[in-house]
Amino acid sequence: LEKMADMMLVLQDQGCPNINFVTPTHYSPHIVLAVDIAARKGLHIPLVYNTCGWEHLDILKQLEVIVDIYLPDFKYTDVEMANEYSSGANAYPEHTKKALLEMHRQVGDLIIDKTGIAQRGLLIRHLVLPENLAGTRKIMKFIHDAVSPNTYVNIMAQYRPSGNAHKTQGLTRAITAEEFRQALQMAKEEGIMRLDRL
């Protein structure tokens, strides 16, 4: 724990704008303890919780007042797609919706300073899949209607088949420029205007 705390402080001293914990859930108890040590030694930059979106509410509630920025994915809304593409995770859509609502309750909409650096809030990532398999419109509608119309959303175009994806119907190719354009249009039509495109 002391070593983790010291690493955070070194990153801060080197000028890092935040501490980004990637896929951190299974380490969350250790992170909480290390952050407590680091904070007592002067850690003051934002903490980012970078996750796939599948989070337990009880763990998220333990992170309140600790995490400054939540950076979750919202992969898909369709139960069948979740089941097929995420190894039986048919509860992913509903589980993630609840997690997003809790994250937003804690930190609110994303706040960016005048230099363009995020300071606090929720930033949701959404990876566009071929043939709209991710259910982009439904995701954007949920974000607008249930989370906040001012949610900052990163719509991502970088899907490429890897591993066994080339064997899975619908996932055998990258998305087209037109599919990406349509995803952005869907977001705008559902009222999402704070868009970051990658």
Side-chain angles (χ1 to χ4, degrees), residues 56-119:
H56 294 283
L57 293 183
D58 55 342
I59 292 176
L60 290 176
K61 288 175 181 177
Q62 296 297 317
L63 298 171
E64 189 167 5
V65 309
I66 296 170
V67 171
D68 300 289
I69 299 167
Y70 281 106
L71 181 56
D73 293 318
F74 195 170
K75 297 180 183 297
Y76 17 65
T77 54
D78 186 274
V79 170
E80 291 181 6
M81 297 303 170
N83 189 53
E84 182 174 356
Y85 300 146
S86 290
S87 301
N90 60 333
Y92 176 86
E94 289 307 312
H95 211 85
T96 300
K97 287 177 182 179
K98 291 175 184 177
L100 295 179
L101 291 171
E102 174 61 18
M103 292 173 187
H104 187 264
R105 184 194 68 78
Q106 291 183 21
V107 297
D109 295 328
L110 190 68
I111 297 169
I112 302 173
D113 69 17
K114 57 187 176 184
T115 67
I117 302 296
Q119 298 300 309

Side-chain angles (χ1 to χ4, degrees), residues 8-76:
M8 289 185 245
L9 293 165
V10 167
L11 290 171
Q12 178 175 272
D13 291 344
Q14 291 175 345
C16 290
N18 58 57
I19 303 296
N20 192 331
F21 298 108
V22 181
T23 316
T25 306
H26 52 302
Y27 291 113
S28 56
H30 307 92
I31 290 170
V32 169
L33 294 172
V35 166
D36 180 59
I37 295 168
R40 285 189 273 113
K41 292 182 177 181
L43 182 70
H44 58 80
I45 58 177
L47 302 178
V48 181
Y49 201 80
N50 187 334
T51 167
C52 69
W54 181 284
E55 293 292 336
H56 294 283
L57 293 183
D58 55 342
I59 292 176
L60 290 176
K61 288 175 181 177
Q62 296 297 317
L63 298 171
E64 189 167 5
V65 309
I66 296 170
V67 171
D68 300 289
I69 299 167
Y70 281 106
L71 181 56
D73 293 318
F74 195 170
K75 297 180 183 297
Y76 17 65

Side-chain angles (χ1 to χ4, degrees), residues 139-154:
I139 285 175
M140 298 305 146
K141 180 172 177 53
F142 171 80
I143 292 170
H144 178 276
D145 294 352
V147 181
S148 166
N150 199 39
T151 302
Y152 198 106
V153 181
N154 177 207

